């Protein structure tokens, strides 16, 4: 009985011990049936006493899985592994689930064999701790770590690097590759100072990292200028974090933000600010800012300098800004300008503020100011308490505007004195004003004022008027056109002159030229009749010349025959005079025929002629004559000069100019003829300069180009060359001029079209 009592107490102690454990405990017999268990085992396994009692390891209702969620074979179950080896099973991770494994309980399982005195395994004690929450936490941590790793890898401009205690790279994200220029493979394992630290910072960086690793002296966040793989500087804002691994190793992580674009933007902002300051300084523009909350007015220095003052001339600060502004205001504008500004501030301030007023310059003169402002908006579009604005000196514009008004008044008065019909039209062809005797108007003013040309005039005339308006305004020039329009039983003709009037208006002056057109047509008819008469006269002259030349030739022939048969007859003085007169008559008729030929050939086509070869050929023909006469001819005409002329006329003119220069040379000096040219607009001027005898133009100038006019008493001079040359030049649309001085020389200037 005592022995039973002792055993019973031992069982109670064992049971009490099992229940007190925070681990599940089950005891299997040698057949793997559960023969003992505690409440914690029931809780962890989710079974009742009835369900667990007698359950074996071979029960298909449950399964063991490994950490990779792979279902284990029965032989790999903890109880079977202890039963098979007879050895203790150290703590091992297992998952326990029912048939479908929809829910898994993760446990850390240990097992021990219970042997009899013979060493055979009689029972197996299996203990296990529920670590499901810890496993899930670890899983969540791994997933979270992976998410953050993916985030770090995907951030485009956020460089994240990790370094161990020796400053060797252990982590290098994608942004680090892009920003610093090293690939991940190139960076891993290399030291921080070898990669991105400039030489001047290496010692400081090594010291700071060591102090944080060894002594916990944190590296503050700051802007740094590091370097890229290619050696170029890289501005960054660098943050630093120290982490500790489960093994107690410290790791430094640097999070760098690339500031390149920010620095460029800042530089552009500085440049823009400087540019705007320069613009304000040179444009006579003052800037201002008004704060509604505290009623402060800030102004730029130009606000005062445009009025001849310096800010130091006033006891100026933000609080006195408004009073200083009012103090500088022209007395007549002070109240109205102040009231307009206050009205704007008390309103909704949706539209820009704008006002014109006068301020008083230091020298006492008045300055017109154009003040504009705009309320500064919040990001959501709501108004702030700040109004920004400018003051612009528009005195010159105002003066010009006043001058323009006076000029318009003057022109308006002037228009009233013009007898023609005068209309003022806008650029779009609208009639704005007119000046005319209403009896001369085809329409009443009510029918055209305020209306467009196309509404009043026929379309063809309206188109001409609109083209003229645009040309006059765009080209700032006078434009003329004509039109005709039937009125009653007669067609009336009008001439229109259009000139710009201001920037967007024109004045059109309309003159009735009906009488002029009628007279012109009559003149044309008269000219036509005159041309017909001239043609008949030319034909008559040609016939007379031909007949005279025929009779003169017959007469000279008879005289020659008589002289041959009875030469003694011509010893009589009268007969000799008859013979000489007949010869002179024949010569005169020949000269008259030359002139007549020029008139008849005036319709001959002019052609473009390269001048130098023509002139060279004539000079060559005259070379022997010039040499014998001791005259040097200098041809300075360029190779590429072309003129428009009748070839035969041009040859004749050039020959006459050169032969005259040779003929009327001076024996007192070495003689020359210089031929040169000058282009004037659409004409070329050919000049023949010599140092010959010269001509007294005061005595002979009016007779110089007359027929049979000679001035030097040369026996072989007949006075016909210059007459014919002028006739030929004028027939080709040119003219001939001369400058000369006796004993010095003569220069002929021949103007021909290009």
């Amino acid at each position: 009985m005592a022995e039973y009592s002792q055993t019973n107490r031992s069982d109670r102690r064992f049971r009490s011990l099992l229940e007190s454990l925070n681990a599940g405990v089950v005891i299997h017999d040698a057949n793997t049936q559960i023969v003992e268990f505690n409440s914690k085992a029931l809780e962890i396994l989710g079974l009742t006493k009835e369900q667990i009692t007698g359950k074996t390891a071979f029960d298909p209702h449950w399964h063991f899985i490994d950490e990779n969620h792979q279902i284990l074979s029965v032989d790999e179950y903890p109880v079977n592994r202890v039963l098979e080896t007879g050895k203790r099973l150290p703590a091992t991770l297992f998952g326990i689930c029912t048939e479908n494994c929809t829910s898994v309980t993760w446990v850390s399982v240990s097992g021990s064999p219970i042997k009899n005195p013979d060493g055979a395994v009689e029972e197996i004690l299996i203990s296990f701790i529920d670590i499901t929450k810890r496993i899930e936490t670890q899983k969540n941590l791994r997933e979270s770590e992976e998410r953050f790793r993916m985030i770090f890898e995907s951030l485009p401009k956020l460089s994240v690097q990790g370094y161990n205690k020796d400053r060797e790279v252990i982590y290098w994200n994608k942004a680090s590759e892009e920003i610093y220029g090293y690939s991940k493979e190139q960076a891993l394992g290399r030291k921080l100072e070898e990669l991105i630290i400039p030489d001047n910072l290496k010692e400081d960086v090594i010291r700071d990292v060591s102090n944080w690793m060894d002594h916990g002296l944190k590296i503050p966040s700051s802007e740094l200028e590091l370097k890229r793989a290619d050696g170029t500087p890289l501005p960054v804002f660098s943050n630093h974090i120290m982490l500790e691994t489960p093994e107690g190793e410290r790791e430094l992580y640097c999070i760098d933000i690339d500031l390149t674009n920010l620095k460029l933007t800042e530089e552009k902002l500085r440049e823009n600010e400087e540019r705007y300051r320069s613009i304000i300084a040179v444009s006579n523009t003052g800037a201002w800012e008004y704060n509604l909350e505290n009623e402060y007015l800030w102004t730029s220095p130009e606000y005062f300098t445009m009025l001849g003052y310096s800010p130091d001339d006033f006891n100026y600060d933000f609080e006195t800004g408004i009073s200083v502004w009012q103090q500088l205001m022209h007395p007549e504008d002070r109240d109205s300008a102040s009231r307009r500004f206050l009205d704007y501030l008390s309103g909704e301030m949706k539209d820009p503020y704008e006002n014109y007023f006068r301020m008083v310059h230091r020298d006492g003169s008045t300055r017109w100011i154009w003040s504009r402002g705009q309320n500064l908006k919040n990001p959501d579009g709501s108004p702030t308490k700040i109004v920004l604005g400018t003051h612009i000196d528009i005195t010159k514009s105002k003066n010009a505007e006043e001058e323009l008004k006076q000029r318009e008044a003057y022109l308006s008065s002037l228009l009233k004195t013009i007898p023609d019909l005068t209309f003022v039209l806008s650029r779009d062809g609208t009639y704005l004003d007119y000046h005319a005797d209403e009896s001369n108007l085809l329409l009443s003013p009510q029918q055209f004022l305020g209306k467009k040309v196309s509404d009043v005039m026929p379309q063809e005339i309206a188109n001409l008027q609109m083209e003229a308006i645009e040309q006059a305004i765009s080209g700032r020039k006078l434009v003329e056109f004509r039109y005709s329009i039937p009125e009653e039983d007669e067609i009336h003709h009008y001439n229109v002159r259009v000139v710009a009037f201001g920037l967007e208006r024109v004045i059109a002056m309309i003159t009735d030229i009906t009488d002029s057109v009628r007279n012109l047509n009559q003149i044309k008819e008269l000219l036509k009749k005159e041309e017909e008469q001239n043609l008949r006269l030319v034909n008559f002259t040609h016939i007379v010349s031909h007949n005279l030349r025929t009779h003169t030739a017959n007469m000279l022939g008879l005289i020659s025959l008589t002289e041959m048969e009875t030469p003694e007859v011509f010893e009589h003085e009268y007969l000799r005079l008859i013979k000489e007169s007949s010869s002179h008559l024949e010569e005169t008729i020949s000269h008259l025929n030359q002139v007549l030929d020029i008139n008849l050939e005036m319709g001959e086509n002019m052609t473009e002629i390269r001048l130098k070869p023509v002139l060279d050929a004539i000079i060559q023909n005259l070379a022997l004559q010039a040499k014998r006469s001791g005259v040097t001819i200098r041809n300075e005409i360029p190779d590429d000069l072309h003129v428009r002329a009748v070839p035969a006329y041009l040859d004749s003119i050039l020959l006459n100019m050169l032969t005259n220069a040779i003929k009327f040379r001076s024996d007192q000096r070495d003689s020359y003829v210089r031929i040169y040219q000058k282009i004037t607009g659409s004409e070329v001027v050919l000049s023949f300069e010599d140092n010959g005898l010269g001509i007294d133009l005061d005595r002979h100038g009016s007779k110089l180009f007359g027929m049979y006019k000679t001035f030097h008493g040369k026996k072989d001079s007949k006075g016909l060359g210059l007459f014919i040359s002028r006739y030929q030049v004028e027939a080709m649309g040119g003219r001939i001029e001369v400058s000369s001085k006796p004993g010095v020389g003569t220069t002929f200037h021949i103007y021909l079209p290009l």
Side-chain angles (χ1 to χ4, degrees):
M1 188 67 177
E3 183 179 350
Y4 171 78
S5 177
Q6 182 69 27
T7 301
N8 193 31
R9 282 199 300 275
S10 177
D11 287 343
R12 286 200 302 273
R13 283 198 297 274
F14 176 70
R15 172 55 58 185
S16 177
L17 178 62
L18 285 180
E19 292 297 330
S20 67
L21 292 175
N22 194 34
V25 177
V26 295
I27 299 175
H28 297 262
D29 62 15
N31 295 320
T32 71
Q33 275 191 325
I34 295 175
V35 295
E36 195 68 54
F37 52 85
N38 67 354
S39 300
K40 194 65 176 179
L42 296 176
E43 178 187 337
I44 293 172
L45 297 175
L47 299 174
T48 64
K49 292 180 180 180
E50 292 75 15
Q51 290 172 327
I52 196 171
T53 302
K55 187 177 279 290
T56 69
F58 302 97
D59 189 338
H61 180 70
W62 60 6
H63 301 287
F64 280 87
I65 61 175
D66 62 15
E67 58 184 335
N68 295 321
H69 287 256
Q70 297 297 317
I71 296 177
L72 301 175
S73 64
V74 175
D75 294 339
E76 294 178 292
Y77 286 8
V79 63
N80 291 332
R81 288 170 64 177
V82 174
L83 186 61
E84 180 181 357
T85 62
K87 297 180 180 180
R88 182 176 178 276
L89 175 69
T92 305
L93 176 64
F94 289 96
I96 303 174
C97 60
T98 57
E99 291 181 85
N100 297 325
C101 282
T102 55
S103 177
V104 178
T105 300
W106 292 97
V107 292
S108 177
V109 181
S110 300
S112 299
I114 302 174
K115 300 180 180 179
N116 60 22
D118 297 330
V121 177
E122 289 184 341
E123 293 178 327
I124 302 95
L125 186 145
I126 301 296
S127 64
F128 46 93
I129 301 172
D130 188 351
I131 59 172
T132 302
K133 289 184 178 180
R134 189 174 74 187
I135 293 298
E136 289 179 351
T137 300
Q138 290 176 347
K139 177 185 176 184
N140 291 336
L141 284 173
R142 284 194 300 272
E143 291 176 351
S144 178
E145 180 181 352
E146 185 61 28
R147 282 196 299 272
F148 279 108
R149 182 179 294 274
M150 291 176 63
I151 290 172
F152 285 146
E153 288 295 335
S154 62
L155 288 173
K157 294 296 182 182
L158 194 65
S159 167
V160 181
Q161 319 114 50
Y163 303 93
N164 61 19
K165 61 183 180 60
D166 297 319
R167 302 180 305 283
E168 294 170 340
V169 177
I170 58 175
Y171 180 75
W172 193 264
N173 73 342
K174 189 70 176 176
S176 299
E177 293 182 335
E178 295 176 358
I179 292 174
Y180 289 106
Y182 294 101
S183 66
K184 184 176 182 179
E185 292 72 19
Q186 291 174 318
L188 289 176
R190 294 181 64 182
K191 288 184 178 292
L192 164 65
E193 61 270 19
E194 295 175 359
L195 293 175
I196 62 175
I197 305 300
D199 292 339
N200 62 317
L201 295 180
K202 285 184 178 180
E203 291 184 5
D204 294 339
V205 169
I206 293 173
R207 183 188 65 247
D208 291 345
V209 173
S210 297
N211 285 338
W212 197 357
M213 289 282 188
D214 301 336
H215 307 294
L217 298 177
K218 179 177 173 58
I219 301 174
S221 301
S222 63
E223 282 191 24
L224 298 172
E225 189 171 271
L226 304 182
K227 68 173 183 178
R228 297 184 178 88
D230 60 6
T232 56
L234 175 68
V236 299
F237 187 83
S238 187
N239 297 278
H240 315 94
I241 300 173
M242 188 70 74
L243 300 178
E244 193 168 311
T245 67
E247 294 78 18
E249 295 290 335
R250 286 192 162 192
E251 295 177 348
L252 172 65
Y253 286 87
C254 299
I255 304 172
D256 296 342
I257 301 173
D258 184 359
L259 299 180
T260 302
N261 291 337
L262 179 62
K263 292 295 182 183
L264 291 174
T265 302
E266 288 178 350
E267 182 62 26
K268 288 182 179 179
L269 286 173
R270 281 194 295 271
E271 291 176 357
N272 287 339
E273 182 179 358
E274 184 61 30
R275 185 181 299 112
Y276 294 142
R277 286 185 180 276
S278 300
I279 292 172
I280 287 176
V282 302
S283 64
N284 217 17
T285 300
W288 55 268
E289 176 184 319
Y290 186 76
N291 189 315
L292 282 80
E293 192 169 5
N294 48 34
E295 298 184 350
Y296 283 0
L297 176 66
W298 169 87
T299 58
S300 69
E302 293 77 16
Y303 187 92
F304 296 97
T305 57
M306 72 170 62
L307 297 174
Y309 293 101
S310 165
D312 299 333
D313 294 335
F314 300 87
N315 184 21
Y316 176 81
D317 56 32
F318 292 158
E319 294 182 355
T320 61
I322 285 289
S323 63
V324 171
W325 172 54
Q326 293 174 333
Q327 178 184 341
L328 293 171
M329 191 83 64
H330 192 285
E332 295 178 5
D333 294 348
R334 187 175 297 144
D335 291 342
S336 60
S338 300
R339 185 167 55 253
R340 185 177 179 86
F341 185 59
L342 293 175
D343 288 345
Y344 175 78
L345 297 178
S346 61
E348 297 182 355
M349 297 186 294
K350 291 182 178 179
D351 299 323
Y353 161 75
E354 188 170 35
N355 196 8
Y356 299 88
F357 48 81
R358 290 168 293 173
M359 299 187 80
V360 180
H361 194 274
R362 186 169 196 157
D363 62 10
S365 61
T366 298
R367 294 288 190 272
W368 273 99
I369 302 298
W370 179 23
S371 182
R372 303 184 77 241
Q374 178 69 62
N375 174 249
L376 192 64
K377 304 297 183 184
N378 288 310
D380 62 359
S382 60
T384 66
K385 297 293 184 179
I386 302 296
V387 179
L388 303 176
T390 58
H391 270 191
I392 302 175
D393 185 347
I394 59 168
T395 305
K396 290 183 178 179
S397 299
K398 276 288 186 179
N399 291 340
E401 183 180 335
E402 183 61 30
E403 184 179 348
L404 183 61
K405 287 180 179 178
Q406 294 178 4
R407 185 178 297 178
E408 287 183 354
Y410 166 75
L411 291 175
S412 178
S413 300
L414 188 62
L415 284 175
K416 294 176 181 178
T417 66
I418 298 175
D420 294 335
L421 292 172
T422 306
F423 298 93
V424 179
L425 298 96
S426 65
R427 192 167 195 159
D428 64 358
T430 301
Y431 287 97
L432 303 177
D433 198 2
Y434 77 99
H435 168 68
D437 184 345
E438 294 193 10
S439 63
N440 294 330
L441 292 175
L442 299 180
L443 300 174
S444 66
Q446 293 77 15
Q447 290 178 294
F448 64 84
L449 282 179
K451 296 183 179 180
K452 293 187 177 180
V453 175
S454 57
D455 298 330
V456 176
M457 302 295 286
Q459 191 61 48
E460 183 178 354
I461 299 174
N463 292 341
L464 291 173
Q465 180 68 76
M466 292 306 298
E467 289 177 9
I469 290 174
E470 188 59 35
Q471 291 176 17
I473 293 177
S474 302
R476 313 305 296 176
K477 62 182 180 180
L478 177 68
V479 180
E480 287 192 64
F481 70 93
R482 293 184 178 186
Y483 68 87
S484 301
I485 192 169
E487 296 177 21
E488 298 179 352
D489 297 332
E490 184 181 9
I491 294 179
H492 278 244
H493 305 277
Y494 295 93
N495 183 72
V496 184
R497 288 166 293 162
V498 182
V499 65
F501 179 46
L503 298 178
E504 294 291 323
R505 290 179 291 175
V506 298
I507 294 176
M509 291 165 283
I510 303 176
T511 305
D512 188 341
I513 59 171
T514 304
D515 292 339
S516 299
V517 171
R518 187 185 300 114
N519 294 335
L520 181 61
N521 289 335
Q522 291 175 355
I523 291 172
K524 287 180 178 179
E525 288 293 327
L526 291 174
L527 287 174
K528 183 178 178 182
K529 292 179 180 179
E530 185 178 351
E531 287 177 0
E532 292 173 352
Q533 290 174 355
N534 285 339
L535 181 59
R536 287 194 294 270
L537 182 59
V538 167
N539 291 334
F540 171 75
T541 305
H542 186 69
I543 293 169
V544 170
S545 173
H546 178 270
N547 293 340
L548 284 175
R549 185 163 48 185
T550 301
H551 295 313
T552 304
N554 290 336
M555 184 184 300
L556 287 174
L558 291 172
I559 291 173
S560 296
L561 289 174
T562 303
E563 186 176 15
M564 290 173 61
E565 293 179 358
T566 56
E568 66 277 5
V569 174
F570 286 91
E571 293 177 1
H572 196 285
E573 183 179 359
Y574 291 152
L575 288 176
R576 285 199 308 273
L577 291 174
I578 291 173
K579 178 183 177 182
E580 290 176 5
S581 296
S582 298
S583 297
H584 290 325
L585 177 60
E586 194 275 337
E587 186 178 4
T588 300
I589 292 172
S590 176
H591 293 162
L592 289 173
N593 275 326
Q594 290 184 41
V595 176
L596 181 60
D597 288 341
I598 293 174
N599 283 318
L600 292 175
E601 295 170 359
M602 284 181 65
E604 184 173 337
N605 290 332
M606 296 173 64
T607 59
E608 189 173 281
I609 301 172
R610 186 162 158 250
L611 184 60
K612 193 171 189 306
V614 175
L615 195 54
D616 285 341
I618 294 174
I619 293 172
Q620 183 63 34
N621 291 336
L622 295 174
L624 181 59
Q625 181 182 348
K627 184 176 181 182
R628 288 175 177 173
S629 302
V631 178
T632 301
I633 301 176
R634 298 202 298 267
N635 183 4
E636 299 178 8
I637 301 299
D639 288 337
D640 59 349
L641 179 63
H642 291 72
V643 296
R644 289 185 55 78
V646 177
Y649 291 1
L650 184 62
D651 287 347
S652 174
I653 294 166
L654 299 178
L655 183 62
N656 273 329
M657 291 296 108
L658 291 174
T659 54
N660 278 350
I662 295 171
K663 183 184 300 182
F664 299 108
R665 67 190 178 278
S666 172
D667 296 329
Q668 306 300 317
R669 51 187 170 272
D670 293 336
S671 298
Y672 71 86
V673 183
R674 176 181 170 233
I675 310 162
Y676 58 93
Q677 56 83 35
K678 181 174 71 172
I679 305 295
T680 58
S682 61
E683 291 181 316
V684 60
V685 184
L686 302 180
S687 298
F688 295 80
E689 174 190 309
D690 66 52
N691 62 343
L693 297 175
I695 304 170
D696 187 347
L697 295 179
D698 291 335
R699 292 179 58 194
H700 307 302
S702 61
K703 301 178 289 183
L704 185 61
F705 295 101
M707 194 171 185
Y708 300 127
K709 300 299 181 181
T710 60
F711 311 104
H712 295 98
K714 294 278 186 178
K715 291 183 179 181
D716 56 346
S717 296
K718 297 181 180 179
L720 194 63
L722 288 180
F723 174 78
I724 292 177
S725 293
R726 188 190 71 170
Y727 226 85
Q728 290 172 331
V729 169
E730 291 177 351
M732 295 187 295
R735 66 186 188 279
I736 185 169
E737 296 176 355
V738 63
S739 59
S740 184
K741 187 173 182 182
V744 176
T746 303
T747 303
F748 285 94
H749 304 286
I750 299 173
Y751 293 77
L752 292 174
L754 285 171

